[in-house]
Amino acid sequence: MSGHLLQLDGLRKTFGRTVAVDHLDMMIEAGEFVTFLGPSGCGKTTTLRMLGGFETPDEGRILLNGEDVTHLPPERRNVNMVFQDYALFPHLTVRRNIAFGLELRRMAAGDIDARVRELAEFLELGSLLERFPDQLSGGQRQRVALARALAPDPALLLLDEPLAALDAKLRGQVQQELKSIQRRTGKTFFFVTHDQDEAMTMSDRIVVMNAGRVEQDGTPEELYDRPASRFVAGFIGETNLIEGRLKSVEGDRAVFDWDGLTLVARPGHKLHTPGEMVSASLRPEHVEIRTTDTDTDGSPDENRFEGRLVDPVFKGSRTVARVELAPDRQLLVHIDRRSILPVDGTPVRVTFSSRHLSLI
Amino acid sequence: MMGDAAVSRGDRVPFWGRTVSLPFYKGLVTFLFGSPRRQFWLLASFSIIWVLFAHLGPILQMLHVSFLDGYPPTAGREPVMTLANYERFFSESIFILPFFRTLAFASLLTAATLVITYPVAYFLARHVRRQRQLALLLLLLIPFWVGEIVRTYAIMILLGNNGAVNLLLRWLGLVDRPIPFMYTGFSLSIGIIYLTALYMLLPLYSALEKLPASYSEAAADLGAGGWTRFRRITLPLTREGIASGCTLVFLISSGYYATPVLLGGPATTVFAETVARFFHVAGDEWPTGAAFSCLMLLTALAIAGAFNRLVSPRRVGAGG
Amino acid sequence: MKRNSRAFLACAYWAFVVYLFVPLMLMVMMGFKDSKFIGFPIRSWTLEWYLGVFRDTEVLSVFGYSLLIAILSTVLSLAIGTWIAAFLNSYRTFPGRMLVFGLTLLPAVVPGIISAISLRIYARVLGIEPGLWAIVWSHAVHNVPFVVLVVIARLSTLPPSQTEAARDLGADPLIAFIRVTVPYLRPALIGAGIFCLLLSFDDFVRSFFLGGYDPTLPVLIFTRLHSGMSPEINAIATVALVLTAIVGIWAERSMRRMRKEQNA
């Protein structure tokens, strides 16, 4: 028996012919903020619902603190959930909503009061306790839902896209709040979202899912810098996916050929042999742009090309553009306003380090 | 960490908390809702038993009795299956006549109700502001909360020889002697339309209300006149409301018993009265009444079904 | 042209209102006539008939009996109808669902007299004596389809997350139903309940065929009418009318208030 808070063992769930979750294995430690990220239909919500007890897996086990809870109904799991629509009970006040789980736990009335007060203070709901859910704003509802789910002191808190209903401006603020609440309570948060930005902002650990399988499991930095698959590279942030034939691999230098251009990259998670077709991911902000008359010989970057700037689009703090290195070979780049004047057709020199070009 | 601490304090535990901890309650819930399959059977079994037992049962039992040669059973005699009850219907005109009279009458009244209530529904849905619609509709609803018998009685007072209509006619000098409205097809029609109009009005109103005014406006824009617009646009698009209103009114008006007894006369005997007679007289007449009821139910449902099929818009691509 | 059609339609509406109200108003008026003889003109007026209603112990007990039947059958219809609605709403892919749904609505399309007769025969077969419970049962059968339709309409708008949240917080299926689903259904239950009360209180044909020696109010009026019209009957009918109208208007108002809340 290990000390993992949650252990998923070969979890599998099908709906008719569709495989929603395909043999999922995973450990989650206490105090982690884990995010399941993926497009809709990737199996992340099904996983969450199996943890909550709303779906029964076809195969596999769920161990919570070492105890097999796979077939326990939701009311007998020490797990609580914040629903996407919050599911606040419309006929109960905020106070009664928060107390709902406590009333069912044989808690004494006085203790319930104390616990509700404690949570209300923690989540700044003190003045709203006697209101009904339809008298609250979106952000307030979200906090009430959180308070209600935290009230019974669950071992694991499940959050099903709880920010999807908020407008963009509020969402950013609530992301910070949620992260800070998680840090202060020390609770394990199991968060599900399709929004990569949200996942990057809050998580200690991100699990990217696609078509019922885990594509990659790691910290936000790992996912961003060293995507394990083309799917992850494309799903998280903007990137240039470059495909070519591998020429040689020596230590941390992998040389490959991109339709006649030779690139030096960093070997990725998988082992590749020369002659194989490979992909590499290059983030636009890692491409340095200079005018052709600048001297770049002193730059330590291995990859150096000349091209022409096309289609610059002004986006405020930066300009997004493409650099055409050769016909049909373009790189998406971000241009710092201080480096060059982004004018369509300007000849430029691009450089990027092999550290930033990682094979997938 | 919480539950035990709470109990030791001796503080009051809320009702639901106490309930879930009762051993008897726990056992009951586990027994009833132990698995999704049990939950299904719990909900399904009672529902299915109820509709079979209480909804279908009486009809099937009536069908069964209609084939017996005697019911209620007399001691020491087994009833025998027979078709005699049905044969009896076709043998005598005092049975056949009310049967067809009822069907014809119900059909005519349905048509009359449609013609009377369509303008009312149209006015409410099209010519009244949204906020006032509900108030004006409510005004029409009030009389319909009053029961069948009370309203029938009100019609009796209206149409009697000393009733309000005759008083008015005499006062206007149009007649010298009162017109005998009562106990005729006329008084019965007035009474039944009075009872059933709402069942036509509401489906029509909701169909008209759902219809966007822009359709008519588009037709007007294309040069259609008022009557053409109504005939080519509004009427076809409210077919569903017409169908359900007519079905309801037809089925309901063919089933009235007290109103024909009170408002009708010997010349307007409807089938409901014929059938009811078998249940009032002593003796073994129930099977005949049951057989007649079966005939009427079958015919009424068949007519209503056929009418519905004919009038309802066919849904494109909808299976079944 | 447009103005003409509008005027015609307005006339149709108000004529219809007159048609609906005048008979009832005449009936109410006739209850004040100071004569045993029903008919116009009314020359002198009296309150005697109305006061008589409240002195007539038979009439009062019949009122009570009708009310009792209405309440019992309404409670029964609500419980059964909600049960069936919960079943039909939860298992939308159950293969026999359309059949069960069709059978649920069956009593609503059977013409009144046939419904009454089939129930009379059935009661006999089951050994239910004509009387209170036979009437209550027949009214419940007749009302269940309406309850199911109203409750299922409301139930289908209940987000599944509501009961899931209750379960998640420690409620078993029964408590989740009582504490979350039932409050959500409240407007539908009140609306359907009042509709059932009115249907039962006003019902004649089932009460007539399944009743024992004690008449319900419509049956009492019917039998008294057989022995001739009298202002006394007008008074009884008017009291019944006022009672049902009050319940109806109150129901309509509370339904509208709830609809407003729902939209907010």
Side-chain angles (χ1 to χ4, degrees):
Chain A
M1 196 91 310
S2 54
H4 304 297
L5 174 77
L6 183 74
Q7 184 178 346
L8 309 182
D9 253 355
L11 223 49
R12 183 181 158 88
K13 177 74 184 176
T14 54
F15 295 105
R17 288 217 191 120
T18 338
V19 182
V21 175
D22 201 3
H23 290 105
L24 184 67
D25 293 297
M26 183 154 301
M27 310 279 184
I28 289 169
E29 310 301 330
E32 271 190 302
F33 195 126
V34 184
T35 298
F36 267 51
L37 174 66
S40 60
C42 71
K44 57 190 194 308
T45 301
T46 307
T47 308
L48 182 94
R49 290 176 60 80
M50 286 194 282
L51 295 184
F54 304 112
E55 305 285 355
T56 313
D58 301 336
E59 289 170 34
R61 291 189 311 161
I62 302 169
L63 301 179
L64 185 65
N65 279 326
E67 184 202 353
D68 188 342
V69 298
T70 319
H71 296 284
L72 282 187
E75 64 266 27
R76 292 180 33 210
R77 298 184 184 203
N78 193 14
V79 166
N80 286 121
M81 179 143 156
V82 176
F83 289 81
Q84 186 167 9
D85 59 359
Y86 309 141
L88 298 180
F89 305 128
H91 60 291
L92 298 180
T93 58
V94 169
R95 176 191 298 282
R96 296 292 308 280
N97 261 289
I98 299 175
F100 193 94
L102 305 173
E103 287 172 14
L104 286 163
R105 245 156 258 241
R106 295 182 67 207
M107 205 182 197
D111 294 339
I112 293 178
D113 268 355
R115 178 76 177 149
V116 170
R117 225 175 300 126
E118 181 191 344
L119 280 160
E121 197 175 324
F122 181 60
L123 291 167
E124 292 163 32
L125 292 167
S127 56
L128 307 173
L129 281 179
E130 305 312 324
R131 292 216 194 152
F132 284 92
D134 59 2
Q135 299 166 315
L136 302 177
S137 71
Q140 289 167 337
R141 278 182 213 192
Q142 194 262 344
R143 291 213 301 278
V144 175
L146 195 62
R148 187 178 70 175
L150 283 171
D153 200 24
L156 176 65
L157 192 74
L158 307 174
L159 300 104
D160 184 9
E161 308 216 13
L163 309 183
L166 303 179
D167 61 61
K169 206 169 171 190
L170 191 57
R171 205 179 303 158
Q173 181 194 334
V174 174
Q175 283 170 8
Q176 303 290 333
E177 260 178 38
L178 213 54
K179 178 67 198 162
S180 116
I181 289 163
Q182 190 265 338
R183 228 177 259 138
R184 282 185 291 160
T185 54
K187 284 258 171 271
T188 313
F189 276 32
F190 189 104
F191 192 93
V192 156
T193 185
H194 65 269
D195 183 336
Q196 47 102 6
D197 203 40
E198 207 166 281
M200 299 293 275
T201 313
M202 293 187 291
S203 322
D204 297 327
R205 178 175 161 196
I206 298 177
V207 178
V208 181
M209 282 190 86
N210 186 33
R213 291 176 174 278
V214 173
E215 291 275 344
Q216 191 171 4
D217 177 352
T219 63
E221 291 80 7
E222 278 170 2
L223 261 61
Y224 191 78
D225 291 338
R226 309 193 60 188
S229 67
R230 293 173 55 99
F231 178 81
V232 176
F235 197 74
I236 295 182
E238 280 181 309
T239 199
N240 292 292
L241 270 179
I242 300 167
E243 281 183 49
R245 191 171 297 279
L246 191 63
K247 284 177 165 171
S248 67
V249 189
E250 281 166 35
D252 59 355
R253 272 174 65 92
V255 181
F256 73 102
D257 173 71
W258 182 27
D259 284 351
L261 301 175
T262 301
L263 301 179
V264 183
R266 181 171 70 161
H269 296 263
K270 279 180 239 157
L271 272 179
H272 295 282
T273 49
E276 219 181 302
M277 287 301 288
V278 291
S279 316
S281 155
L282 175 66
R283 300 288 175 188
E285 69 272 24
H286 289 146
V287 181
E288 289 272 347
I289 309 262
R290 297 203 178 87
T291 45
T292 36
D293 50 354
T294 335
D295 176 33
T296 57
D297 289 347
S299 153
D301 295 343
E302 292 91 335
N303 300 296
R304 190 173 308 162
F305 302 99
E306 301 208 342
R308 207 164 50 87
L309 197 68
V310 288
D311 300 337
V313 178
F314 179 60
K315 294 251 174 137
S317 62
R318 60 193 158 88
T319 296
V320 177
R322 293 177 178 281
V323 175
E324 193 172 72
L325 304 179
D328 294 329
R329 265 156 291 166
Q330 297 187 335
L331 285 180
L332 186 71
V333 296
H334 290 173
I335 302 168
D336 183 341
R337 297 175 78 181
R338 282 165 305 189
S339 61
I340 62 163
L341 200 64
V343 176
D344 203 2
T346 315
V348 291
R349 182 170 292 159
V350 297
T351 60
F352 48 92
S353 157
S354 66
R355 282 184 299 120
H356 294 132
L357 180 66
S358 54
L359 290 188
I360 291 166
Chain B
M1 113 192 183
M2 308 179 156
D4 301 318
V7 173
S8 64
R9 273 244 231 114
D11 210 340
R12 215 172 58 81
V13 175
F15 173 76
W16 297 105
R18 268 176 290 154
T19 309
V20 286
S21 60
L22 292 176
F24 164 74
Y25 177 83
K26 269 189 201 159
L28 181 78
V29 167
T30 315
F31 173 72
L32 292 177
F33 304 101
S35 66
R37 183 178 296 251
R38 280 199 187 170
Q39 284 178 42
F40 170 79
W41 281 114
L42 177 73
L43 283 175
S45 58
F46 178 79
S47 303
I48 292 170
I49 289 171
W50 173 266
V51 295
L52 288 179
F53 165 81
H55 292 187
L56 191 61
I59 305 292
L60 290 182
Q61 188 60 45
M62 181 172 74
L63 191 67
H64 172 69
V65 167
S66 76
F67 289 110
L68 299 180
D69 70 341
Y71 198 93
T74 33
R77 192 180 153 279
E78 267 304 295
V80 178
M81 298 291 275
T82 173
L83 279 174
N85 303 312
Y86 288 92
E87 284 160 13
R88 197 171 161 199
F89 171 76
F90 295 101
S91 65
E92 292 180 49
S93 66
I94 59 158
F95 300 143
I96 298 177
L97 215 58
F99 182 78
F100 287 106
R101 182 185 293 137
T102 302
L103 294 179
F105 208 61
S107 311
L108 271 174
L109 288 181
T110 305
T113 313
L114 176 65
V115 172
I116 291 172
T117 51
Y118 204 104
V120 178
Y122 192 90
F123 173 73
L124 277 180
R126 283 302 174 75
H127 289 284
V128 179
R129 270 178 295 117
R130 201 82 192 78
Q131 304 93 304
R132 273 194 77 202
Q133 274 183 23
L134 283 174
L136 290 188
L137 193 65
L138 182 66
L139 189 65
L140 300 183
L141 283 178
I142 292 169
F144 287 97
W145 292 323
V146 179
E148 170 191 349
I149 297 292
V150 173
R151 276 190 283 157
T152 302
Y153 182 48
I155 293 293
M156 289 168 78
I157 291 171
L158 182 77
L159 295 180
N161 280 354
N162 294 305
V165 174
N166 271 316
L167 180 80
L168 189 70
L169 289 177
R170 257 185 298 176
W171 183 71
L172 290 173
L174 293 173
V175 293
D176 312 323
R177 278 178 302 144
I179 303 175
F181 291 119
M182 277 302 291
Y183 315 117
T184 62
F186 177 75
S187 59
L188 185 52
S189 306
I190 295 285
I192 289 195
I193 293 173
Y194 194 46
L195 292 174
T196 56
L198 181 78
Y199 300 105
M200 184 70 84
L201 186 80
L202 285 183
L204 287 182
Y205 168 74
S206 68
L208 280 164
E209 195 231 316
K210 266 186 278 176
L211 197 67
S214 55
Y215 290 180
S216 250
E217 285 162 13
D221 189 52
L222 296 169
W227 173 244
T228 316
R229 284 204 301 272
F230 175 71
R231 204 169 48 85
R232 301 278 301 270
I233 309 290
T234 313
L235 206 55
L237 286 173
T238 49
R239 272 203 300 206
E240 216 157 337
I242 294 174
S244 51
C246 287
T247 311
L248 270 176
V249 169
F250 178 78
L251 289 173
I252 291 171
S253 56
S254 61
Y256 277 121
Y257 168 68
T259 308
V261 168
L262 294 173
L263 293 178
T268 65
T269 306
V270 295
F271 203 58
E273 294 170 86
T274 312
V275 169
R277 223 161 276 150
F278 294 110
F279 291 84
H280 289 320
V281 294
D284 269 357
E285 298 273 41
W286 282 28
T288 313
F292 286 22
S293 298
C294 288
L295 280 174
M296 175 159 166
L297 178 63
L298 212 70
T299 319
L301 288 182
I303 291 176
F307 177 78
N308 234 310
R309 250 206 132 87
L310 219 71
V311 175
S312 288
R314 261 171 219 118
R315 285 174 198 88
V316 183
Chain C
M1 159 67 226
K2 170 126 191 167
R3 192 171 306 153
N4 279 344
S5 76
R6 196 199 133 88
F8 164 74
L9 290 168
C11 281
Y13 172 84
W14 289 108
F16 191 65
V17 170
V18 167
Y19 172 49
L20 292 183
F21 276 89
V22 163
L24 290 175
M25 290 193 309
L26 292 176
M27 187 192 74
V28 175
M29 265 168 61
M30 199 62 81
F32 291 103
K33 185 180 177 184
D34 190 9
S35 154
K36 258 206 99 59
F37 177 69
I38 286 281
F40 289 96
I42 301 174
R43 296 219 161 74
S44 63
W45 305 79
T46 176
L47 268 177
E48 203 40 48
W49 303 113
Y50 281 96
L51 294 175
V53 173
F54 297 100
R55 283 199 291 262
D56 187 337
T57 48
E58 191 200 349
V59 171
L60 289 181
S61 77
V62 166
F63 262 104
Y65 186 61
S66 288
L67 219 57
L68 177 69
I69 287 171
I71 290 167
L72 288 175
S73 68
T74 298
V75 170
L76 208 59
S77 325
L78 286 181
I80 296 164
T82 307
W83 193 302
I84 296 176
F87 167 65
L88 291 173
N89 188 59
S90 315
Y91 301 98
R92 291 188 172 269
T93 54
F94 169 61
R97 183 176 179 273
M98 279 324 286
L99 186 70
V100 176
F101 192 57
L103 285 177
T104 303
L105 298 186
L106 182 67
V109 297
V110 175
I113 181 75
I114 295 170
S115 154
I117 281 168
S118 65
L119 287 167
R120 176 72 192 92
I121 295 173
Y122 204 53
R124 171 75 199 223
V125 172
L126 297 178
I128 304 175
E129 282 300 308
L132 175 72
W133 290 106
I135 300 177
V136 167
W137 175 72
S138 73
H139 286 182
V141 170
H142 184 242
N143 291 347
V144 161
F146 302 105
V147 177
V148 172
L149 285 178
V150 174
V151 170
I152 212 169
R154 175 82 180 159
L155 207 50
S156 63
T157 65
L158 173 72
S161 63
Q162 285 278 313
T163 43
E164 283 178 359
R167 297 285 304 275
D168 187 62
L169 292 165
D172 58 55
L174 187 61
I175 291 184
F177 182 79
I178 296 171
R179 290 204 63 190
V180 174
T181 310
V182 170
Y184 187 82
L185 290 179
R186 216 178 64 120
L189 292 175
I190 292 175
I194 287 164
F195 193 59
C196 288
L197 278 177
L198 289 176
L199 277 181
S200 171
F201 191 77
D202 290 341
D203 174 75
F204 168 77
V205 74
R206 273 160 282 267
S207 308
F208 185 65
F209 279 92
L210 286 136
Y213 296 106
D214 297 320
T216 64
L217 195 66
V219 175
L220 178 82
I221 298 174
F222 180 78
T223 45
R224 289 209 178 174
L225 274 176
H226 260 310
S227 44
M229 290 154 78
S230 100
E232 191 194 358
I233 301 176
N234 287 61
I236 299 172
T238 303
V239 174
L241 180 156
V242 169
L243 218 67
T244 46
I246 287 173
V247 173
I249 292 173
W250 175 72
E252 189 62 35
R253 276 191 47 185
S254 59
M255 287 299 275
R256 199 177 305 173
R257 200 175 324 124
M258 269 171 312
R259 225 171 287 144
K260 225 176 267 168
E261 272 169 31
Q262 230 170 296
N263 293 341

